[in-house]
Amino acid sequence: MKQQSSAATETRIKGRNIIDFTGKTIYVGIDVHEKDYQVAKVLDGICLGNHRMPANSKALIDHLNNRYPGATFKCVYESCAWGFTLQRELSIAAMDCIVVHAADVSGSDKEKKRKTDKVDALKLARNLASGDLSVIYVPDERFKKNVILFATAKNL
């Protein structure tokens, strides 16, 4: 195994270079929309990538695990109309995921003036890495079912 000066270790398997991220934490900022996600990955203050993908949590989990083998993931997204399903599915996949209120995400004046999905996703990842985010409460499935039950009973 060849030691690199970068954050990961590179090995050669069947003629391909495979980078091993074991022991590394990658911070993932996700700007969530109905049809797609903008996903930014940060490791040791360096952006590893910032791309758009279809809004599919399984595809996101597969992408992260295949692209960054061995890494530990800490994910964040802003609360939105699409609920907490993504948070639950990432947590089931052993990825730590928090949800934050959009107004609680700090940013520079420059970021506010050129607000794009890429900027938002990267800002989320960097703020998560620096510990500057306040988590909001994510109700569990049982609570959600009770709310639906009470709303149904109220309408009878």
Side-chain angles (χ1 to χ4, degrees), residues 30-39 51-64 85-86 89-90:
I30 309 164
D31 192 26
V32 177
H33 297 280
E34 181 180 17
K35 296 185 191 262
D36 57 27
Y37 301 149
Q38 183 72 37
V39 183
H51 73 284
R52 184 171 298 282
M53 65 183 300
N56 179 327
S57 58
K58 183 176 178 354
L60 174 60
I61 292 164
D62 290 345
H63 168 79
L64 293 173
T85 304
L86 177 60
E89 290 174 357
L90 290 172

mmCIF file of all heavy atoms in Angstrom, residues 30-39 51-64 85-86 89-90:
data_model
loop_
_atom_site.group_PDB
_atom_site.id
_atom_site.type_symbol
_atom_site.label_atom_id
_atom_site.label_comp_id
_atom_site.label_asym_id
_atom_site.label_seq_id
_atom_site.Cartn_x
_atom_site.Cartn_y
_atom_site.Cartn_z
ATOM 1 N N ILE A 30 -26.459 18.505 1.623
ATOM 2 C CA ILE A 30 -27.424 18.144 0.590
ATOM 3 C C ILE A 30 -28.468 19.253 0.476
ATOM 4 O O ILE A 30 -29.150 19.566 1.451
ATOM 5 C CB ILE A 30 -28.122 16.812 0.931
ATOM 6 C CG1 ILE A 30 -27.095 15.731 1.254
ATOM 7 C CG2 ILE A 30 -29.036 16.381 -0.210
ATOM 8 C CD1 ILE A 30 -27.667 14.519 1.958
ATOM 9 N N ASP A 31 -28.574 19.833 -0.705
ATOM 10 C CA ASP A 31 -29.631 20.802 -0.980
ATOM 11 C C ASP A 31 -30.753 20.002 -1.642
ATOM 12 O O ASP A 31 -30.616 19.533 -2.765
ATOM 13 C CB ASP A 31 -29.122 21.917 -1.891
ATOM 14 C CG ASP A 31 -30.079 23.086 -1.957
ATOM 15 O OD1 ASP A 31 -30.844 23.292 -0.992
ATOM 16 O OD2 ASP A 31 -30.083 23.792 -2.975
ATOM 17 N N VAL A 32 -31.851 19.810 -0.907
ATOM 18 C CA VAL A 32 -32.912 18.894 -1.302
ATOM 19 C C VAL A 32 -34.006 19.613 -2.081
ATOM 20 O O VAL A 32 -34.492 20.664 -1.669
ATOM 21 C CB VAL A 32 -33.523 18.219 -0.048
ATOM 22 C CG1 VAL A 32 -34.680 17.315 -0.418
ATOM 23 C CG2 VAL A 32 -32.465 17.450 0.720
ATOM 24 N N HIS A 33 -34.371 19.024 -3.202
ATOM 25 C CA HIS A 33 -35.505 19.482 -4.009
ATOM 26 C C HIS A 33 -36.372 18.270 -4.329
ATOM 27 O O HIS A 33 -35.965 17.133 -4.111
ATOM 28 C CB HIS A 33 -35.026 20.146 -5.298
ATOM 29 C CG HIS A 33 -34.219 21.373 -5.059
ATOM 30 N ND1 HIS A 33 -34.787 22.589 -4.775
ATOM 31 C CD2 HIS A 33 -32.882 21.564 -5.015
ATOM 32 C CE1 HIS A 33 -33.829 23.483 -4.588
ATOM 33 N NE2 HIS A 33 -32.660 22.878 -4.729
ATOM 34 N N GLU A 34 -37.546 18.505 -4.867
ATOM 35 C CA GLU A 34 -38.462 17.403 -5.150
ATOM 36 C C GLU A 34 -37.870 16.403 -6.147
ATOM 37 O O GLU A 34 -37.970 15.197 -5.951
ATOM 38 C CB GLU A 34 -39.778 17.944 -5.698
ATOM 39 C CG GLU A 34 -40.793 16.848 -5.992
ATOM 40 C CD GLU A 34 -42.099 17.384 -6.536
ATOM 41 O OE1 GLU A 34 -42.150 18.548 -6.990
ATOM 42 O OE2 GLU A 34 -43.070 16.622 -6.509
ATOM 43 N N LYS A 35 -37.230 16.904 -7.193
ATOM 44 C CA LYS A 35 -36.756 16.014 -8.254
ATOM 45 C C LYS A 35 -35.266 15.716 -8.215
ATOM 46 O O LYS A 35 -34.803 14.788 -8.871
ATOM 47 C CB LYS A 35 -37.106 16.605 -9.616
ATOM 48 C CG LYS A 35 -38.603 16.709 -9.827
ATOM 49 C CD LYS A 35 -38.917 17.180 -11.218
ATOM 50 C CE LYS A 35 -40.358 17.532 -11.344
ATOM 51 N NZ LYS A 35 -41.215 16.582 -11.886
ATOM 52 N N ASP A 36 -34.489 16.507 -7.472
ATOM 53 C CA ASP A 36 -33.058 16.257 -7.434
ATOM 54 C C ASP A 36 -32.413 16.764 -6.146
ATOM 55 O O ASP A 36 -33.012 17.508 -5.386
ATOM 56 C CB ASP A 36 -32.359 16.866 -8.651
ATOM 57 C CG ASP A 36 -32.598 18.353 -8.800
ATOM 58 O OD1 ASP A 36 -32.837 19.034 -7.787
ATOM 59 O OD2 ASP A 36 -32.543 18.851 -9.934
ATOM 60 N N TYR A 37 -31.183 16.282 -5.927
ATOM 61 C CA TYR A 37 -30.351 16.707 -4.802
ATOM 62 C C TYR A 37 -29.091 17.350 -5.372
ATOM 63 O O TYR A 37 -28.544 16.877 -6.364
ATOM 64 C CB TYR A 37 -29.888 15.521 -3.946
ATOM 65 C CG TYR A 37 -30.937 14.657 -3.314
ATOM 66 C CD1 TYR A 37 -30.701 13.306 -3.099
ATOM 67 C CD2 TYR A 37 -32.166 15.178 -2.899
ATOM 68 C CE1 TYR A 37 -31.630 12.498 -2.493
ATOM 69 C CE2 TYR A 37 -33.113 14.370 -2.301
ATOM 70 C CZ TYR A 37 -32.841 13.024 -2.098
ATOM 71 O OH TYR A 37 -33.774 12.215 -1.499
ATOM 72 N N GLN A 38 -28.627 18.396 -4.709
ATOM 73 C CA GLN A 38 -27.289 18.925 -4.966
ATOM 74 C C GLN A 38 -26.450 18.453 -3.791
ATOM 75 O O GLN A 38 -26.774 18.747 -2.637
ATOM 76 C CB GLN A 38 -27.305 20.455 -5.048
ATOM 77 C CG GLN A 38 -25.970 21.061 -5.379
ATOM 78 C CD GLN A 38 -25.565 20.823 -6.824
ATOM 79 O OE1 GLN A 38 -26.380 20.845 -7.720
ATOM 80 N NE2 GLN A 38 -24.284 20.585 -7.037
ATOM 81 N N VAL A 39 -25.393 17.711 -4.046
ATOM 82 C CA VAL A 39 -24.626 17.050 -2.993
ATOM 83 C C VAL A 39 -23.182 17.545 -3.008
ATOM 84 O O VAL A 39 -22.485 17.400 -4.016
ATOM 85 C CB VAL A 39 -24.654 15.515 -3.191
ATOM 86 C CG1 VAL A 39 -23.928 14.817 -2.050
ATOM 87 C CG2 VAL A 39 -26.083 15.008 -3.308
ATOM 88 N N HIS A 51 -22.091 17.855 -6.879
ATOM 89 C CA HIS A 51 -22.806 17.467 -8.081
ATOM 90 C C HIS A 51 -24.312 17.360 -7.831
ATOM 91 O O HIS A 51 -24.757 17.268 -6.695
ATOM 92 C CB HIS A 51 -22.269 16.131 -8.610
ATOM 93 C CG HIS A 51 -22.687 14.961 -7.772
ATOM 94 N ND1 HIS A 51 -22.128 14.662 -6.563
ATOM 95 C CD2 HIS A 51 -23.649 14.036 -7.983
ATOM 96 C CE1 HIS A 51 -22.715 13.590 -6.050
ATOM 97 N NE2 HIS A 51 -23.645 13.189 -6.889
ATOM 98 N N ARG A 52 -25.061 17.333 -8.920
ATOM 99 C CA ARG A 52 -26.513 17.178 -8.866
ATOM 100 C C ARG A 52 -26.847 15.738 -9.246
ATOM 101 O O ARG A 52 -26.209 15.151 -10.115
ATOM 102 C CB ARG A 52 -27.176 18.147 -9.848
ATOM 103 C CG ARG A 52 -28.681 18.133 -9.801
ATOM 104 C CD ARG A 52 -29.278 19.261 -10.633
ATOM 105 N NE ARG A 52 -28.908 20.582 -10.166
ATOM 106 C CZ ARG A 52 -29.449 21.197 -9.114
ATOM 107 N NH1 ARG A 52 -30.383 20.617 -8.409
ATOM 108 N NH2 ARG A 52 -29.056 22.409 -8.783
ATOM 109 N N MET A 53 -27.835 15.179 -8.545
ATOM 110 C CA MET A 53 -28.273 13.821 -8.847
ATOM 111 C C MET A 53 -29.775 13.709 -8.619
ATOM 112 O O MET A 53 -30.352 14.553 -7.931
ATOM 113 C CB MET A 53 -27.518 12.815 -7.979
ATOM 114 C CG MET A 53 -27.791 12.920 -6.493
ATOM 115 S SD MET A 53 -26.838 11.785 -5.483
ATOM 116 C CE MET A 53 -27.348 10.214 -6.110
ATOM 117 N N PRO A 54 -30.420 12.697 -9.196
ATOM 118 C CA PRO A 54 -31.859 12.529 -8.979
ATOM 119 C C PRO A 54 -32.165 12.345 -7.486
ATOM 120 O O PRO A 54 -31.357 11.810 -6.741
ATOM 121 C CB PRO A 54 -32.197 11.252 -9.754
ATOM 122 C CG PRO A 54 -31.102 11.104 -10.747
ATOM 123 C CD PRO A 54 -29.882 11.712 -10.123
ATOM 124 N N ALA A 55 -33.336 12.791 -7.067
ATOM 125 C CA ALA A 55 -33.744 12.687 -5.658
ATOM 126 C C ALA A 55 -34.108 11.241 -5.343
ATOM 127 O O ALA A 55 -35.264 10.845 -5.388
ATOM 128 C CB ALA A 55 -34.912 13.617 -5.374
ATOM 129 N N ASN A 56 -33.087 10.464 -5.024
ATOM 130 C CA ASN A 56 -33.254 9.057 -4.718
ATOM 131 C C ASN A 56 -32.258 8.721 -3.616
ATOM 132 O O ASN A 56 -31.044 8.715 -3.850
ATOM 133 C CB ASN A 56 -33.000 8.230 -5.981
ATOM 134 C CG ASN A 56 -33.131 6.746 -5.752
ATOM 135 O OD1 ASN A 56 -32.833 6.228 -4.688
ATOM 136 N ND2 ASN A 56 -33.586 6.049 -6.785
ATOM 137 N N SER A 57 -32.763 8.447 -2.421
ATOM 138 C CA SER A 57 -31.870 8.233 -1.284
ATOM 139 C C SER A 57 -30.996 6.996 -1.467
ATOM 140 O O SER A 57 -29.836 6.994 -1.071
ATOM 141 C CB SER A 57 -32.669 8.140 0.015
ATOM 142 O OG SER A 57 -33.619 7.100 -0.069
ATOM 143 N N LYS A 58 -31.526 5.938 -2.066
ATOM 144 C CA LYS A 58 -30.717 4.733 -2.296
ATOM 145 C C LYS A 58 -29.553 5.037 -3.231
ATOM 146 O O LYS A 58 -28.423 4.601 -2.994
ATOM 147 C CB LYS A 58 -31.572 3.604 -2.855
ATOM 148 C CG LYS A 58 -30.780 2.314 -3.041
ATOM 149 C CD LYS A 58 -31.627 1.177 -3.501
ATOM 150 C CE LYS A 58 -30.874 -0.112 -3.748
ATOM 151 N NZ LYS A 58 -29.479 -0.149 -3.672
ATOM 152 N N ALA A 59 -29.817 5.808 -4.282
ATOM 153 C CA ALA A 59 -28.748 6.182 -5.211
ATOM 154 C C ALA A 59 -27.691 7.039 -4.505
ATOM 155 O O ALA A 59 -26.489 6.885 -4.759
ATOM 156 C CB ALA A 59 -29.326 6.924 -6.407
ATOM 157 N N LEU A 60 -28.119 7.921 -3.621
ATOM 158 C CA LEU A 60 -27.182 8.752 -2.860
ATOM 159 C C LEU A 60 -26.316 7.887 -1.948
ATOM 160 O O LEU A 60 -25.090 8.042 -1.901
ATOM 161 C CB LEU A 60 -27.942 9.803 -2.036
ATOM 162 C CG LEU A 60 -27.104 10.653 -1.087
ATOM 163 C CD1 LEU A 60 -26.039 11.447 -1.846
ATOM 164 C CD2 LEU A 60 -27.997 11.583 -0.292
ATOM 165 N N ILE A 61 -26.938 6.965 -1.237
ATOM 166 C CA ILE A 61 -26.198 6.071 -0.336
ATOM 167 C C ILE A 61 -25.195 5.232 -1.128
ATOM 168 O O ILE A 61 -24.025 5.114 -0.741
ATOM 169 C CB ILE A 61 -27.179 5.186 0.457
ATOM 170 C CG1 ILE A 61 -27.992 6.048 1.430
ATOM 171 C CG2 ILE A 61 -26.449 4.063 1.194
ATOM 172 C CD1 ILE A 61 -29.230 5.380 1.985
ATOM 173 N N ASP A 62 -25.636 4.664 -2.246
ATOM 174 C CA ASP A 62 -24.736 3.868 -3.085
ATOM 175 C C ASP A 62 -23.581 4.708 -3.615
ATOM 176 O O ASP A 62 -22.429 4.270 -3.626
ATOM 177 C CB ASP A 62 -25.505 3.243 -4.255
ATOM 178 C CG ASP A 62 -26.450 2.138 -3.818
ATOM 179 O OD1 ASP A 62 -26.320 1.647 -2.671
ATOM 180 O OD2 ASP A 62 -27.336 1.774 -4.617
ATOM 181 N N HIS A 63 -23.886 5.926 -4.061
ATOM 182 C CA HIS A 63 -22.840 6.817 -4.574
ATOM 183 C C HIS A 63 -21.775 7.081 -3.508
ATOM 184 O O HIS A 63 -20.575 6.966 -3.777
ATOM 185 C CB HIS A 63 -23.452 8.142 -5.039
ATOM 186 C CG HIS A 63 -22.439 9.194 -5.314
ATOM 187 N ND1 HIS A 63 -21.691 9.232 -6.474
ATOM 188 C CD2 HIS A 63 -22.014 10.242 -4.555
ATOM 189 C CE1 HIS A 63 -20.858 10.266 -6.419
ATOM 190 N NE2 HIS A 63 -21.038 10.891 -5.276
ATOM 191 N N LEU A 64 -22.198 7.437 -2.317
ATOM 192 C CA LEU A 64 -21.246 7.756 -1.251
ATOM 193 C C LEU A 64 -20.415 6.533 -0.865
ATOM 194 O O LEU A 64 -19.193 6.629 -0.726
ATOM 195 C CB LEU A 64 -21.984 8.324 -0.035
ATOM 196 C CG LEU A 64 -22.640 9.693 -0.243
ATOM 197 C CD1 LEU A 64 -23.475 10.070 0.975
ATOM 198 C CD2 LEU A 64 -21.610 10.765 -0.542
ATOM 199 N N THR A 85 -37.868 11.871 5.407
ATOM 200 C CA THR A 85 -37.611 10.531 4.877
ATOM 201 C C THR A 85 -36.134 10.336 4.558
ATOM 202 O O THR A 85 -35.559 9.289 4.878
ATOM 203 C CB THR A 85 -38.467 10.273 3.624
ATOM 204 O OG1 THR A 85 -39.831 10.485 3.966
ATOM 205 C CG2 THR A 85 -38.282 8.874 3.104
ATOM 206 N N LEU A 86 -35.507 11.317 3.937
ATOM 207 C CA LEU A 86 -34.090 11.215 3.601
ATOM 208 C C LEU A 86 -33.253 11.017 4.864
ATOM 209 O O LEU A 86 -32.361 10.169 4.897
ATOM 210 C CB LEU A 86 -33.626 12.456 2.836
ATOM 211 C CG LEU A 86 -32.137 12.512 2.484
ATOM 212 C CD1 LEU A 86 -31.739 11.340 1.604
ATOM 213 C CD2 LEU A 86 -31.809 13.827 1.800
ATOM 214 N N GLU A 89 -33.660 7.409 6.094
ATOM 215 C CA GLU A 89 -33.013 6.420 5.236
ATOM 216 C C GLU A 89 -31.492 6.487 5.334
ATOM 217 O O GLU A 89 -30.824 5.458 5.309
ATOM 218 C CB GLU A 89 -33.506 6.582 3.802
ATOM 219 C CG GLU A 89 -34.955 6.157 3.669
ATOM 220 C CD GLU A 89 -35.575 6.419 2.312
ATOM 221 O OE1 GLU A 89 -34.894 6.998 1.434
ATOM 222 O OE2 GLU A 89 -36.742 6.044 2.142
ATOM 223 N N LEU A 90 -30.934 7.683 5.463
ATOM 224 C CA LEU A 90 -29.485 7.803 5.660
ATOM 225 C C LEU A 90 -29.079 7.228 7.017
ATOM 226 O O LEU A 90 -28.052 6.563 7.133
ATOM 227 C CB LEU A 90 -29.043 9.254 5.536
ATOM 228 C CG LEU A 90 -29.100 9.858 4.133
ATOM 229 C CD1 LEU A 90 -28.836 11.358 4.180
ATOM 230 C CD2 LEU A 90 -28.139 9.169 3.193
#
